[in-house]
Amino acid sequence: MFLRGRPITMYIPSGIRSLEELPSGPPPETLSLDWVYGYRGRDSRSNLFVLRSGEVVYFIACVVVLYRPGGGPGGPGGGGQRHYRGHTDCVRCLAVHPDGVRVASGQTAGVDKDGKPLQPVVHIWDSETLLKLQEIGLGAFERGVGALAFSAADQGAFLCVVDDSNEHMLSVWDCSRGVKLAEIKSTNDSVLAVGFNPRDSSCIVTSGKSHVHFWNWSGGVGVPGNGTLTRKQGVFGKYKKPKFIPCFVFLPDGDILTGDSEGNILTWGRSASDSKTPGRGGAKETYGIVAQAHAHEGSIFALCLQRDGTVLSGGGRDRRLVQWGPGLVALQEAEIPEHFGAVRAIAEGLGSELLVGTTKNALLRGDLAQGFSPVIQGHTDELWGLCTHPSQNRFLTCGHDRQLCLWDGESHALAWSIDLKETGLCADFHPSGAVVAVGLNTGRWLVLDTETREIVSDVIDGNEQLSVVRYSPDGLYLAIGSHDNVIYIYSVSSDGAKSSRFGRCMGHSSFITHLDWSKDGNFIMSNSGDYEILYWDVAGGCKQLKNRYESRDREWATYTCVLGFHVYGVWPDGSDGTDINSLCRSHNERVVAVADDFCKVHLFQYPCARAKAPSRMYGGHGSHVTSVRFTHDDSHLVSLGGKDASIFQWRVLGAGGAGPAPATPSRTPSLSPASSLDV
């Protein structure tokens, strides 16, 4: 095959007389999204609500998650997940209809496989059936959808949208017909929140960088695009003008509370129109500040009006949750533990239960009296390292946030996490499962005891990043592939705790990308950044096997190399050689999972040695997929999103999977996995 014009020679195993006798067509196995780890709290707002059903709705990557907590308030996670997967790029904001069933979700623009920009859009969908009801604004928004709100005074007939263009266009839409009723440039400053007055849909409020705006929307209900929006600027007068106003909430008496970057809650009351007030618009009355309360040290990120009329505020720097009574009298408070980050969003659950989203991508559950415990946790930065446990449904992840996390695939929970102090890029369990090796971006690699989490070995090889670590199937050797073009080989003690340098495999002319051991533990196959396939006799002294033809019948314990005869059919036409980030053969050697640069996970038959082989293709990640691995019994596949910091756990269904598919609600026809025959 050719990559970037370079010929790559692969030898056909002697048992194959003709390529025609190899299996063709996509595999009988399919994937079903079982669980999504993580929550996008680090850089998004309007991202946490509770539906009428009691399900919690939030998003990460291109998926909107409907999560039903298990246990009592503050108790263990458990519960179940459903997923709305109609979006083609990352979801950025949510709004829940007053009926507590319909949901609006807005996505960013993104680009397609060929680098062409895709248009942002809003989906309105039914949370009970997961069916898309309306697609709003295709071609009307720029860059992405930044904020959304349903009206409340008229049973949610209207939707207000602010896009991410330079002018932050503010538009009002008829939800049932999907038509635009009014549109106006709002401000060049970022807009962080939007909302309809719950008692009067002609009043809309926006807030963000250095502003709070009160909009009057009139007419145009019968005629699309004929309505008008006029603006009154909030005047701070004697009060200090904050840099940001991230949140606001409407009180039952008609007043509005805003939370700002100075830590203040300002009360805005209605007052008669004042001709001297700066700003334009024909509103008969305007809002002015009637009270100020200093609530937090640092910014206020969230305000939530509770059913009993009290208000909750969530702090950034101080991580405090404070409950306020009438007249902004503090009633009680709680502090979120530091390792979860600041309060990003607050939602009122069933009974006295609260749900809190944090800036470190965790969802907490509990109340002010008893405190909070995590039910959903995730990474906060780009992910690259992934390995699955040799005998349990557990897997380990690491990435640019310097966290090493062990996940329990049965309970869908974080078993433990530690701070590596450096970026983790690759990992592998010892066959015993007792220890795990982790490669870092500095040439260091660590071996940790998986029970005690203690570092039992800390070694440096070179000063460049490590891209792959892999134990031999018998656990006697550890191979470490570096960006300095060398594979370092260590002999390992029976418990995996001790290691000593055995040799170095030198001969690659570019950095090591992938490697696999032979089933007998004597040989290695490796790939590099310039698309070489090399073979090494480790037992014979780390020698490079010059005659690659002699390795054509060798059996490999794992198959993660992206270049090789058995997988060359996974490469799309015209590939530049970087389109496939990760590849993994199932343990039963029936299917190959592929992670590509276009946010997709593919399943191919194994061996996959026919050019442009068909696959089953699955979306959901909002960034390049960096790694895929099957669990020890092939019942599940785990995939990592790169920049979206998401972890997807897929159930493998069909011939080699774990039995029949679980009952799932019907979805839009377009969401079924597409065959990539046209790739």
Side-chain angles (χ1 to χ4, degrees):
M1 66 181 283
F2 289 84
L3 282 177
R4 282 199 171 164
R6 295 182 65 138
I8 299 163
T9 306
M10 292 167 282
Y11 294 98
I12 300 175
S14 56
I16 297 175
R17 294 184 302 276
S18 161
L19 293 182
E20 297 304 312
E21 67 188 46
L22 292 171
S24 62
E29 289 83 354
T30 60
L31 298 180
S32 167
L33 187 56
D34 181 38
W35 197 265
V36 177
Y37 298 84
Y39 151 83
R40 187 165 179 170
R42 182 182 48 139
D43 62 350
S44 70
R45 295 165 174 78
S46 303
N47 58 15
L48 178 65
F49 298 92
V50 177
L51 301 172
R52 190 177 68 185
S53 63
E55 287 175 299
V56 183
V57 59
Y58 59 93
F59 56 83
I60 182 168
C62 308
V63 177
V64 185
V65 181
L66 297 93
Y67 168 66
R68 183 177 298 282
Q81 280 187 358
R82 297 188 300 138
H83 310 99
Y84 176 73
R85 293 174 54 205
H87 285 284
T88 55
D89 215 294
C90 285
V91 181
R92 292 307 311 269
C93 52
L94 288 178
V96 174
H97 194 274
D99 64 13
V101 175
R102 281 176 278 176
V103 179
S105 46
Q107 73 174 53
T108 193
V111 293
D112 70 5
K113 189 173 172 182
D114 302 317
K116 295 175 188 160
L118 295 169
Q119 294 175 320
V121 70
V122 175
H123 288 188
I124 298 178
W125 47 278
D126 186 311
S127 63
E128 292 174 349
T129 64
L130 300 182
L131 288 173
K132 183 166 64 177
L133 306 173
Q134 193 71 253
E135 195 169 84
I136 282 185
L138 190 64
F141 309 128
E142 277 187 50
R143 294 188 191 152
V145 178
L148 286 172
F150 280 105
S151 61
D154 35 44
Q155 290 79 50
F158 307 111
L159 182 75
C160 189
V161 183
V162 181
D163 77 3
D164 285 332
S165 64
N166 288 342
E167 293 87 15
H168 297 97
M169 301 300 291
L170 170 70
S171 52
V172 180
W173 298 76
D174 182 316
C175 294
S176 59
R177 293 186 297 155
V179 296
K180 182 162 57 181
L181 303 175
E183 182 179 52
I184 194 170
K185 296 175 181 178
S186 69
T187 173
N188 287 338
D189 291 320
S190 55
V191 177
L192 304 178
V194 63
F196 282 94
N197 187 319
R199 301 189 306 168
D200 178 7
S201 294
S202 69
C203 175
I204 299 169
V205 177
T206 59
S207 74
K209 185 179 180 185
S210 306
H211 76 273
V212 55
H213 290 158
F214 305 96
W215 300 86
N216 187 261
W217 169 48
S218 60
V221 174
V223 185
N226 212 25
T228 57
L229 285 158
T230 52
R231 183 180 77 182
K232 283 271 192 184
Q233 257 170 285
V235 180
F236 291 87
K238 64 179 182 180
Y239 298 96
K240 182 180 178 183
K241 188 174 186 178
K243 283 184 180 172
F244 289 96
I245 303 169
C247 53
F248 61 83
V249 69
F250 292 92
L251 296 181
D253 62 6
D255 287 353
I256 298 171
L257 300 183
T258 57
D260 63 38
S261 52
E262 304 296 319
N264 294 323
I265 297 177
L266 295 177
T267 306
W268 300 74
R270 279 182 181 264
S271 58
S273 179
D274 178 0
S275 59
K276 296 175 187 171
T277 302
R280 51 198 170 79
K284 291 177 183 171
E285 52 187 3
T286 185
Y287 280 89
I289 300 169
V290 295
Q292 173 180 295
H294 188 66
H296 292 269
E297 296 304 316
S299 189
I300 298 173
F301 284 166
L303 289 172
C304 173
L305 175 66
Q306 299 200 95
R307 288 184 289 268
D308 62 7
T310 60
V311 171
L312 289 169
S313 63
R317 190 187 308 158
D318 64 9
R319 308 184 314 282
R320 285 163 56 238
L321 268 175
V322 186
Q323 183 185 27
W324 304 91
L328 289 180
V329 175
L331 302 177
Q332 58 177 332
E333 65 175 76
E335 188 175 310
I336 301 300
E338 188 174 3
H339 60 276
F340 294 127
V343 178
R344 174 61 83 200
I346 310 165
E348 193 175 17
L350 303 174
S352 64
E353 182 175 282
L354 296 173
L355 289 126
V356 178
T358 76
T359 55
K360 289 195 177 171
N361 295 353
L363 268 185
L364 312 180
R365 183 175 172 227
D367 56 42
L368 293 173
Q370 305 296 319
F372 294 85
S373 58
V375 288
I376 299 289
Q377 288 173 271
H379 283 274
T380 59
D381 209 341
E382 192 164 343
L383 288 175
W384 280 95
L386 169 67
C387 61
T388 50
H389 194 281
S391 59
Q392 300 170 10
N393 192 0
R394 292 185 150 206
F395 58 93
L396 193 128
T397 57
C398 56
H400 289 226
D401 63 359
R402 304 180 174 189
Q403 296 297 306
L404 181 71
C405 297
L406 180 68
W407 305 89
D408 188 317
E410 299 287 342
S411 63
H412 305 126
L414 180 66
W416 53 255
S417 88
I418 62 165
D419 186 354
L420 292 172
K421 310 289 190 220
E422 293 173 36
T423 297
L425 295 175
C426 50
D428 195 37
F429 279 100
H430 187 269
S432 67
V435 296
V436 65
V438 183
L440 308 177
N441 67 330
T442 55
R444 276 180 74 203
W445 55 273
L446 312 172
V447 178
L448 292 96
D449 185 302
T450 53
E451 288 301 315
T452 66
R453 299 173 232 172
E454 287 177 31
I455 295 174
V456 296
S457 187
D458 185 339
V459 185
I460 294 180
D461 279 311
N463 57 4
E464 299 203 36
Q465 69 183 52
L466 305 178
S467 46
V468 55
V469 292
R470 184 85 72 242
Y471 283 99
S472 60
D474 53 15
L476 297 180
Y477 294 105
L478 173 64
I480 295 152
S482 169
H483 267 230
D484 66 7
N485 308 358
V486 177
I487 301 172
Y488 298 90
I489 307 293
Y490 283 78
S491 55
V492 178
S493 60
S494 57
D495 60 358
K498 294 189 176 67
S499 55
S500 58
R501 173 80 73 80
F502 178 81
R504 297 191 299 172
C505 299
M506 301 175 69
H508 271 295
S509 54
S510 184
F511 56 91
I512 315 302
T513 57
H514 307 83
L515 66 83
D516 291 292
W517 286 91
S518 59
K519 288 186 177 177
D520 61 13
N522 293 328
F523 300 91
I524 281 176
M525 166 175 59
S526 57
N527 293 167
S528 63
D530 57 359
Y531 324 127
E532 288 177 311
I533 308 169
L534 298 187
Y535 299 92
W536 311 87
D537 179 356
V538 174
C542 299
K543 296 189 189 113
Q544 182 182 340
L545 299 172
K546 298 293 185 185
N547 187 345
R548 291 186 292 147
Y549 179 76
E550 292 177 357
S551 295
R552 71 192 190 283
D553 291 332
R554 194 156 280 126
E555 294 194 326
W556 302 100
T558 58
Y559 213 116
T560 62
C561 283
V562 297
L563 295 170
F565 170 79
H566 295 82
V567 297
Y568 90 83
V570 307
W571 286 89
D573 241 5
S575 173
D576 68 356
T578 63
D579 295 338
I580 292 176
N581 298 312
S582 176
L583 176 152
C584 183
R585 181 188 69 192
S586 59
H587 297 88
N588 62 19
E589 302 189 15
R590 299 166 63 127
V591 288
V592 173
V594 168
D596 75 15
D597 245 8
F598 312 112
C599 316
K600 298 292 187 289
V601 173
H602 298 258
L603 272 193
F604 292 88
Q605 287 215 59
Y606 180 87
C608 184
R610 286 190 177 201
K612 294 188 284 185
S615 71
R616 299 191 187 275
M617 184 169 67
Y618 300 87
H621 286 293
S623 169
H624 52 288
V625 187
T626 54
S627 192
V628 281
R629 290 290 182 269
F630 286 95
T631 53
H632 71 101
D633 59 359
D634 292 334
S635 63
H636 292 84
L637 177 76
V638 181
S639 61
L640 300 185
K643 288 192 163 58
D644 65 28
S646 64
I647 305 168
F648 286 12
Q649 181 173 309
W650 307 84
R651 189 183 299 273
V652 182
L653 306 171
T664 54
S666 57
R667 292 198 172 92
T668 45
S670 62
L671 301 188
S672 59
S675 170
S676 60
L677 287 161
D678 57 340
V679 169

